[in-house]
Amino acid sequence: MNRVYVCSCFGVTEKQVKEHADAGACTPRQIASACKAGTDCGSCVRRIQAILGRGNCPRRELVEQGMPALGSTPAGLAEEFSEEFSEELSEAA
């Protein structure tokens, strides 16, 4: 099977970039966070942009609002903060 490398610096394939995109990565920066592609010489960033395209991204709306697109959901973040804050209050008492 032929592997089409997008990022030679880190050996990231087109298939891997598509998998990260399917998992919610909408931007080259999010791809870079997931697998380092585009963080060394940068020659692959345009190819990553082409793979991501301008199509619908289920989490693009979150990114545009300044919220994290990967990881916890906003509700999950609020729950984590609430638990963390209540633990701090308990320790202070």
Side-chain angles (χ1 to χ4, degrees), residues 5-10 36-49:
Y5 287 94
V6 173
C7 177
S8 299
C9 297
F10 294 104
K36 292 187 175 184
T39 61
D40 195 24
C41 77
S43 67
C44 60
V45 173
R46 287 183 184 234
R47 179 69 184 129
I48 292 168
Q49 288 171 327

Side-chain angles (χ1 to χ4, degrees), residues 27-41:
T27 66
R29 182 172 288 178
Q30 292 170 345
I31 295 294
S33 293
C35 64
K36 292 187 175 184
T39 61
D40 195 24
C41 77

Side-chain angles (χ1 to χ4, degrees), residues 14-78:
E14 187 174 298
K15 180 182 175 193
Q16 289 171 305
V17 171
K18 288 178 181 178
E19 287 170 354
H20 290 301
D22 289 344
C26 300
T27 66
R29 182 172 288 178
Q30 292 170 345
I31 295 294
S33 293
C35 64
K36 292 187 175 184
T39 61
D40 195 24
C41 77
S43 67
C44 60
V45 173
R46 287 183 184 234
R47 179 69 184 129
I48 292 168
Q49 288 171 327
I51 292 168
L52 295 174
R54 298 263 180 216
N56 290 338
C57 176
R59 299 181 187 194
R60 190 177 308 276
E61 209 171 286
L62 292 175
V63 172
E64 289 171 355
Q65 295 172 4
M67 302 184 82
L70 302 175
S72 299
T73 63
L77 289 172

